[in-house]
Amino acid sequence: MSGSKRLLILIMLCFSLLTAGCWDRKEINQIGFAVGLGIDKEKDNYLITTQMALPSLLEGGGGGEEAPVWVVGGKGKTIFQAIRDVNTRSARKPFWGHLNVIVIGEEVAKDGILPVLDLLSRGRELRRLNYVVIAKGKARDILEAEPKLESINAIFIRDLIENRKGQSVAPAVTLNDLMLSLSTAGKESVLPKIEALEQESFAPPKKSEGAPQEEGKGGEEKPKQILELRGAGIFKEDKLVNWLDEEATRGFLWVVEQVAGGIIVVRSPVETDREVSLEIMSNKSLIIPQVEGGNIKIKFQVLSTLNLVENTGVVSLETSKLIKKLKQRASSSIKKEITKAIKIAQASETDIFGIGERLRTQYPAVWKNIEWSEIFPGVDIEIEVKVNIEEANMTLKPVTPPKQRRK
Amino acid sequence: MIKRGTISPRQIFFILTMLLTGIYILMLPRHLVYLTGTDGWLVLIAGGLVSGIILFFINKTSLKFPGKTVVEFAPLVVGKIWGKLLGFILVVYFTLLAAGSLRLFAEMLKAALLPETPRWIIIVTLVGLIIWIVQNGLEDIARFTELIAPIILILLIGVLIGDIGYMKIIRLKPILQSEPVSLLKGIISSISYFGAIIVLLMLYPYVSAPEKLSKTSIGALFFAVTITLAVFMGTVATFGIFETGRMAWPVIELVKMVRIGEFLERLEAFFLSVWLSIAFINISVLAFCSVAGWTQLFNLKNYRNLTYPIMLLLLGLSLWPRDLLDVLGLYRLNFTYGLFISLAIPLFLFMVSLFYKGGGR
């Protein structure tokens, strides 16, 4: 190879470096990492709340008292205008690639979420795997809350969603899921509900805070400390129409095969004043549309495996006869949850289960000739629940005082 | 003259697979969904089958004229004037395809990764690189392809596996609900899509064992159809038809969904930088065919002198459309009328060459 050729190759190689993108370089100290996004509405304007991580406070633990996030907002006619409005207050341009959650305020949800989602689903930086939650009240309150354990609130919410298996009383919905349920014919959207509280929702109201208030902040509202992810909001098209409570939410999750864990508490079959806890191990479900003549009937089939984990009574239940009774009780408890979900959905006239989608794909000819949204509220839904109880525990009998021992 | 008979069938296999799955696959899901909704995969299979028949014509005809490209043997088959005209159409087609691929890839890179970089920078640097490898000849392109293709295929399969958790079969249903007309349009599109295999007519004389090529090329087509099918079905199963139809680059969105473990996300930058080599291979092969074709069309001795003017033409062509919508409009033209080139020409040549009794000139 001659010298000039070598030189040419060298020049070419240098050129190829250009395609690697120095032009669009962004130094890490020029961008602010937006980890949470909240959207509220005030009359005709959208209010954006972003939660930006402060990397300098995150590393090394030098932060001390200060929270490593900064909550800052913007206002605009469109979401994008509001987002750019943040730039007038933030010295660093927000970078959306590391967003964790999108919190939508209750009011925005009631007015319709499509105008909000368009930008979010177009974005180059945003991923479709971001979780979307709906705030009871204002989204800003959620992002300003200061829960413990996790110093970044948005990551706390993300973990809350990912750890929902403990109870399965809220769905997990990503932006992609939401876009899909909004665009699929015969399926409506459901979003988990999040609420910021001063204290746990079951706790009795406190008169005065235990810890001494920070001085000088007397009149101001203190950030809330508890975030609860329970229940769900259901949508008709893109508008929030109703809420599901925890029981109904799990009823809904049973049908869409998303119950990943949780506890079912049933009465003990022998001691009428004692309860038994059954842990949910798995959940399989089917939605079966049946068309006979012009009549449409729907069947929900739910199969679940439970594990006996707690018996507050003293009589051992580990006999096949009693287990059978437990199974019946568990399945009727599941049935009750599902029935509740169906009732709310039908009353709100919104097919959150995606029955219409099943019908459309299995009976396309039937689907073409019906108006599903008119049929759904009155459609007949049969529920079939099958329960297995596993007895794979470390312990076979409950704690029993000597006098009550039978065997 | 370009050295002939130096490319191994295996290299041709990779060149063809890359050519068929390379760039257009990034937008194909949207186009098919737009035409036929969930029936897109049926349409792909049908298009693949027809392309198999086209391939048969290409192989049979090319084997009758060993050592000659289509531009050289067409005049022998159908007479000087018509032969030159056919060659001209094909060479123009290759040139346009190369320019289109160049622009399309630049658009994608700009949209997904380099929003503030002017697109001419991307295009000019790529053209610079392509000039260099075309000057070096097909052998270098082939070797590079052989090296890089398996990596890219593994990556693509990895993306599909990585997204499998998001896929739902129900989104691929129902089937056969489209209008017959749109089904037909879809099939035409997918024939035009796989029609890039017509490039083989130009590559034959450069292969060391042409008699093995029938098998190799059918294998490559089958492989490419399988990959395209998998990508199409994966995209639709992940995003549903409506969302797929909204996306400019469905496959890039698919890549963006991949998450390895808890922390490794946003792999599209890596993916696109590997995809850069696919674009490079594709455009180089097409540009080579174009340059070689023009050279043979004018009976020139040395193709190297022609490289610069043709690459300049390519550069101009690829910068010509104003924006992405323009480019996509032009592609719709190719997907509709490309058929007349990729199906009609091999068929015509095959039919006429049946009467050709070899030997004479």
Side-chain angles (χ1 to χ4, degrees):
Chain A
M1 208 185 275
S2 68
S4 66
K5 245 185 185 172
R6 265 170 214 243
L7 191 70
L8 187 70
I9 291 169
L10 203 68
I11 294 169
M12 290 293 180
L13 280 175
C14 291
F15 261 115
S16 74
L17 283 178
L18 274 178
T19 59
C22 296
W23 204 290
D24 285 279
R25 80 194 180 281
K26 276 181 194 142
E27 302 301 335
I28 199 149
N29 55 12
Q30 287 172 351
I31 50 178
F33 292 97
V35 287
L37 171 68
I39 301 167
D40 285 309
K41 208 169 184 182
E42 191 190 71
K43 284 176 197 155
D44 287 343
N45 286 310
Y46 287 108
L47 297 180
I48 289 288
T49 314
T50 65
Q51 210 177 53
M52 274 200 263
L54 307 171
S56 55
L57 292 181
L58 274 177
E59 58 201 35
E65 296 296 300
E66 217 177 332
V69 285
W70 178 44
V71 178
V72 59
K75 182 177 169 181
K77 291 256 177 232
T78 61
I79 300 294
F80 199 45
Q81 197 183 25
I83 282 180
R84 282 294 161 88
D85 194 38
V86 174
N87 287 8
T88 61
R89 290 175 197 99
S90 165
R92 291 186 182 183
K93 197 167 176 267
F95 175 72
W96 300 97
H98 292 279
L99 200 67
N100 288 294
V101 280
I102 300 164
V103 185
I104 296 177
E106 193 177 348
E107 225 170 298
V108 178
K110 279 182 177 156
D111 280 0
I113 50 175
L114 272 189
V116 175
L117 290 178
D118 184 71
L119 176 79
L120 302 183
S121 65
R122 268 173 201 245
R124 168 177 43 242
E125 286 177 3
L126 249 114
R127 287 159 309 156
R128 294 175 148 253
L129 291 178
N130 284 306
Y131 288 112
V132 186
V133 295
I134 178 157
K136 179 100 178 130
K138 289 231 174 294
R140 184 159 188 136
D141 290 346
I142 307 289
L143 290 175
E144 276 180 342
E146 285 175 4
K148 303 292 173 194
L149 287 180
E150 198 65 68
S151 45
I152 298 178
N153 161 323
I155 288 177
F156 182 88
I157 300 175
R158 188 197 67 193
D159 291 349
L160 212 55
I161 297 170
E162 282 176 356
N163 295 337
R164 73 194 182 288
K165 285 172 193 156
Q167 274 288 29
S168 294
V169 288
V173 182
T174 62
L175 190 57
N176 190 49
D177 298 333
L178 182 61
M179 295 312 294
L180 273 170
S181 60
L182 282 170
S183 66
T184 305
K187 194 178 185 182
E188 301 289 347
S189 318
V190 177
L191 285 180
K193 183 188 83 174
I194 194 160
E195 199 172 358
L197 300 165
E198 308 261 336
Q199 52 188 336
E200 291 91 336
S201 54
F202 58 80
K206 276 188 224 165
K207 281 279 181 290
S208 62
E209 281 296 314
Q213 289 272 352
E214 278 171 70
E215 270 123 74
K217 269 192 165 184
E220 272 181 55
E221 216 177 311
K222 219 178 147 229
K224 294 171 173 161
Q225 296 220 333
I226 300 283
L227 284 175
E228 280 189 353
L229 186 84
R230 303 157 78 86
I234 57 176
F235 288 72
K236 192 181 170 84
E237 281 168 4
D238 69 326
K239 292 183 176 64
L240 177 74
V241 288
N242 212 339
W243 298 100
L244 296 181
D245 61 8
E246 288 107 76
E247 207 183 334
T249 305
R250 195 155 79 184
F252 159 73
L253 293 176
W254 281 119
V255 179
V256 295
E257 222 172 34
Q258 276 186 31
V259 174
I263 301 294
I264 296 176
V265 178
V266 294
R267 224 0 87 85
S268 160
V270 271
E271 294 152 287
T272 48
D273 57 339
R274 300 296 174 134
E275 311 277 354
V276 177
S277 301
L278 299 166
E279 191 183 9
I280 302 162
M281 306 304 289
S282 73
N283 158 224
K284 285 246 174 289
S285 315
L286 271 179
I287 298 171
I288 308 163
Q290 294 159 317
V291 181
E292 284 155 22
N295 227 347
I296 300 170
K297 265 179 141 184
I298 312 296
K299 192 172 177 186
F300 288 171
Q301 246 176 19
V302 176
L303 173 73
S304 179
T305 305
L306 308 173
N307 194 1
L308 201 161
V309 287
E310 184 185 16
N311 179 4
T312 56
V314 290
V315 181
S316 169
L317 297 173
E318 276 85 348
T319 67
S320 58
K321 202 176 132 199
L322 290 176
I323 288 286
K324 207 177 163 190
K325 272 195 179 158
L326 268 185
K327 280 185 190 172
Q328 280 170 2
R329 283 174 192 220
S331 76
S332 72
S333 158
I334 294 173
K335 227 180 232 176
K336 212 178 106 201
E337 290 176 345
I338 298 174
T339 314
K340 194 167 181 188
I342 294 173
K343 230 171 153 183
I344 298 176
Q346 288 193 328
S348 319
E349 300 182 4
T350 167
D351 178 12
I352 49 176
F353 306 103
I355 302 172
E357 191 188 9
R358 291 276 156 192
L359 194 67
R360 181 171 58 88
T361 50
Q362 281 176 25
Y363 299 94
V366 176
W367 176 261
K368 272 180 193 162
N369 299 319
I370 57 167
E371 188 57 53
W372 177 241
S373 59
E374 284 167 18
I375 296 175
F376 172 74
V379 81
D380 205 10
I381 302 176
E382 187 192 334
I383 311 166
E384 194 183 288
V385 180
K386 256 197 194 145
V387 167
N388 282 325
I389 294 186
E390 272 180 9
E391 295 129 90
N393 256 339
M394 307 277 283
T395 314
L396 290 175
K397 286 179 183 171
V399 192
T400 323
K403 281 186 185 170
Q404 291 182 33
R405 275 180 207 150
R406 289 182 183 176
K407 294 171 196 171
Chain B
M1 284 304 281
I2 307 159
K3 250 198 292 174
R4 300 197 169 186
T6 48
I7 314 289
S8 75
R10 197 168 66 150
Q11 286 166 333
I12 285 287
F13 175 84
F14 283 123
I15 287 183
L16 288 180
T17 336
M18 286 295 107
L19 206 61
L20 294 184
T21 54
I23 291 181
Y24 310 115
I25 203 172
L26 296 169
M27 50 185 258
L28 181 83
R30 187 200 49 240
H31 188 72
L32 281 186
V33 155
Y34 164 78
L35 283 174
T36 56
T38 41
D39 291 333
W41 59 279
L42 284 172
V43 162
L44 272 179
I45 294 177
L49 286 177
V50 177
S51 304
I53 299 169
I54 296 178
L55 203 53
F56 170 80
F57 296 147
I58 294 176
N59 284 327
K60 278 279 176 255
T61 322
S62 292
L63 280 174
K64 271 198 173 164
F65 304 94
K68 286 194 164 62
T69 70
V70 63
V71 180
E72 289 164 328
F73 73 64
L76 300 179
V77 181
V78 289
K80 193 151 189 196
I81 295 167
W82 287 105
K84 285 281 177 196
L85 185 68
L86 267 186
F88 178 73
I89 293 174
L90 274 177
V91 171
V92 168
Y93 181 64
F94 295 147
T95 314
L96 288 178
L97 269 187
S101 307
L102 193 57
R103 176 59 184 266
L104 208 59
F105 186 75
E107 285 291 338
M108 187 184 66
L109 209 59
K110 188 171 163 59
L113 220 55
L114 306 171
E116 279 158 39
T117 310
R119 61 172 71 77
W120 66 267
I121 291 271
I122 303 172
I123 292 180
V124 167
T125 41
L126 256 176
V127 165
L129 207 59
I130 289 164
I131 290 178
W132 173 62
I133 200 161
V134 168
Q135 291 281 30
N136 276 329
L138 190 62
E139 204 181 327
D140 291 26
I141 302 177
R143 280 193 191 156
F144 180 64
T145 313
E146 193 182 15
L147 186 75
I148 208 101
I151 302 174
I152 285 157
L153 293 172
I154 289 168
L155 203 68
L156 205 55
I157 292 166
V159 166
L160 287 173
I161 292 174
D163 279 338
I164 223 159
Y166 309 115
M167 298 181 190
K168 284 212 174 121
I169 302 289
I170 193 170
R171 297 185 188 133
L172 292 168
K173 293 185 210 168
I175 54 165
L176 274 180
Q177 289 300 310
S178 327
E179 307 282 324
V181 178
S182 41
L183 272 184
L184 194 69
K185 273 188 188 165
I187 293 174
I188 290 174
S189 281
S190 72
I191 298 171
S192 306
Y193 169 80
F194 292 123
I197 198 137
I198 200 174
V199 165
L200 193 57
L201 276 172
M202 281 301 293
L203 299 181
Y204 245 92
Y206 303 103
V207 182
S208 58
E211 67 283 354
K212 284 187 189 157
L213 259 194
S214 303
K215 245 186 182 167
T216 314
S217 57
I218 288 285
L221 179 69
F222 180 77
F223 199 52
V225 172
T226 315
I227 292 173
T228 315
L229 258 178
V231 168
F232 175 80
M233 292 173 103
T235 315
V236 175
T238 311
F239 298 123
I241 48 171
F242 186 82
E243 281 291 295
T244 307
R246 263 185 81 216
M247 295 167 172
W249 312 105
V251 179
I252 304 286
E253 295 285 344
L254 208 61
V255 178
K256 277 168 85 175
M257 298 277 284
V258 178
R259 187 173 163 192
I260 302 171
E262 280 289 307
F263 52 95
L264 216 59
E265 316 176 298
R266 296 185 61 83
L267 298 171
E268 72 266 23
F270 172 68
F271 183 82
L272 277 177
S273 30
V274 179
W275 210 261
L276 186 71
S277 3
I278 291 205
F280 174 61
I281 292 169
N282 265 353
I283 304 161
S284 311
V285 171
L286 287 167
F288 174 82
C289 289
S290 159
V291 170
W294 288 108
T295 315
Q296 291 155 9
L297 209 57
F298 298 128
N299 295 325
L300 298 178
K301 282 267 151 55
N302 194 337
Y303 80 102
R304 288 203 168 89
N305 300 332
L306 257 184
T307 313
Y308 287 98
I310 285 172
M311 293 308 286
L312 217 60
L313 175 73
L314 210 67
L315 191 70
L317 280 174
S318 61
L319 285 171
W320 176 51
R322 256 175 312 136
D323 51 21
L324 178 64
L325 289 178
D326 267 12
V327 182
L328 296 184
L330 290 175
Y331 263 98
R332 204 155 297 140
L333 280 183
N334 175 37
F335 277 146
T336 323
Y337 302 108
L339 177 80
F340 293 106
I341 294 168
S342 53
L343 180 62
I345 291 183
L347 179 65
F348 178 64
L349 282 175
F350 174 72
M351 297 295 246
V352 181
S353 72
L354 283 181
F355 304 104
Y356 173 80
K357 292 279 184 285
R361 51 173 48 240

